[in-house]
Amino acid sequence: MSYLTGTPAGTASAGTTDVRTGLGVPGFAHPLLAPSEWGDLTRVGRPLHWVVLDVADGPGTRPDPHCLEAAGRLRNAGVRVLGHLDLTYGARAFPEVISDAQRFLDWYQVDGFLLDRCPADRSALPEIRRTTGTLRTLHDAPHIVLGHGTHPYPGFAENADQLVTFSGPWSDYRWSQAAEWTAAHPPERFCHFVHGVPRGHLEEALRIARWQGAATIWFTDRTDRGGLHDPWETMPGYWDEIVSRIGTGVSE
């Protein structure tokens, strides 16, 4: 099966697959609906790079004490919390996005942002550059992740700390390829979100991520049920196994 279009991204040779892999949580259901999930993330040794907080398709209209508590526990445990900003592939107005970002900062003291459904075409680059540049003026060194879900125009890599270059089902991921240009960047710059990964294929999925040069991952056996369900809102059924496979000591 074809995982790559060239040498492994961020590596010097095809035989190198030693990537410091960690978990990026795309966002669980509300803490009242998924209390055990949020609670487990604060346990010592969880290999977390960051966790996304999505209150109500963004920060919501008023501070939510349950989300504030969940975010505070994570930050106290040394875990980076990112606010969820939906760009709707460029359809959302710039002032709306910045307003949501400011509320996330004011209400939940987030450490950065996941710009979900980020456009990937070159024509969108100036607006994304404007958005990320403004976000960096709102907070001291925010961690910015562009959630393209596919390989974007290479210039986007200059405007974010990380890019989500795959988001989708295992049936697509197992045959996916990394874009050639990603080899010029270290694995810490890329994220993969994959749903519907069977337990028996977990090691294969991890191997694909390493060979394609993505150091931040989220794999789950949950599915989107034909687009009617959010596969990210609960933990994978093999949570303990994936934690043990990745190991400890990789959180930033």
Side-chain angles (χ1 to χ4, degrees):
M1 56 188 62
S2 186
Y3 300 157
L4 201 66
T5 57
T7 57
T11 64
S13 67
T16 303
T17 59
D18 185 16
V19 176
R20 288 169 57 90
T21 304
L23 300 171
V25 184
F28 289 144
H30 190 279
L32 286 178
L33 300 177
S36 61
E37 281 85 349
W38 285 98
D40 193 278
L41 294 178
T42 62
R43 292 179 59 185
V44 176
R46 295 316 193 198
L48 298 170
H49 286 170
W50 39 259
V51 175
V52 173
L53 177 66
D54 187 3
V55 181
D57 293 326
T61 58
R62 62 181 61 86
D64 185 313
H66 304 288
C67 291
L68 177 59
E69 181 181 7
R73 286 179 176 175
L74 285 170
R75 297 185 73 243
N76 289 339
V79 178
R80 181 182 281 142
V81 179
L82 307 183
H84 180 272
L85 301 175
D86 189 354
L87 301 189
T88 61
Y89 303 110
R92 286 199 73 198
F94 171 80
E96 293 180 6
V97 175
I98 301 304
S99 177
D100 276 2
Q102 189 64 66
R103 287 200 292 272
F104 265 122
L105 290 168
D106 292 343
W107 297 345
Y108 305 106
Q109 293 80 53
V110 297
D111 306 294
F113 307 96
L114 168 66
L115 278 60
D116 198 14
R117 296 201 289 175
C118 183
D121 294 337
R122 182 177 184 176
S123 60
L125 183 56
E127 184 65 14
I128 297 303
R129 183 182 295 119
R130 176 191 182 198
T131 300
T132 57
T134 302
L135 292 176
R136 294 192 188 282
T137 69
L138 303 179
H139 186 274
D140 182 22
H143 188 80
I144 296 178
V145 181
L146 298 183
H148 304 284
T150 187
H151 286 94
Y153 175 72
F156 282 95
E158 301 172 4
N159 297 277
D161 298 284
Q162 292 184 295
L163 308 177
V164 180
T165 53
F166 185 93
S167 181
W170 166 245
S171 57
D172 292 340
Y173 189 63
R174 67 183 311 189
W175 305 108
S176 65
Q177 296 181 328
E180 289 279 5
W181 64 265
T182 62
H185 301 276
E188 290 77 14
R189 300 296 307 282
F190 302 106
C191 317
H192 289 172
F193 302 155
V194 190
H195 60 78
V197 181
R199 182 186 296 269
H201 289 277
L202 183 55
E203 181 57 39
E204 181 184 355
L206 290 168
R207 185 164 59 249
I208 294 172
R210 294 189 182 103
W211 273 91
Q212 292 196 10
T216 301
I217 63 165
W218 184 255
F219 295 159
T220 180
D221 51 353
R222 313 308 185 191
T223 66
D224 63 0
R225 301 178 189 172
L228 301 176
H229 178 73
D230 182 357
W232 320 122
E233 67 180 6
T234 60
M235 281 183 173
Y238 40 64
W239 171 246
D240 289 336
E241 181 177 350
I242 195 171
V243 167
S244 65
R245 283 178 181 268
I246 293 175
T248 60
V250 300
S251 59
E252 297 176 2

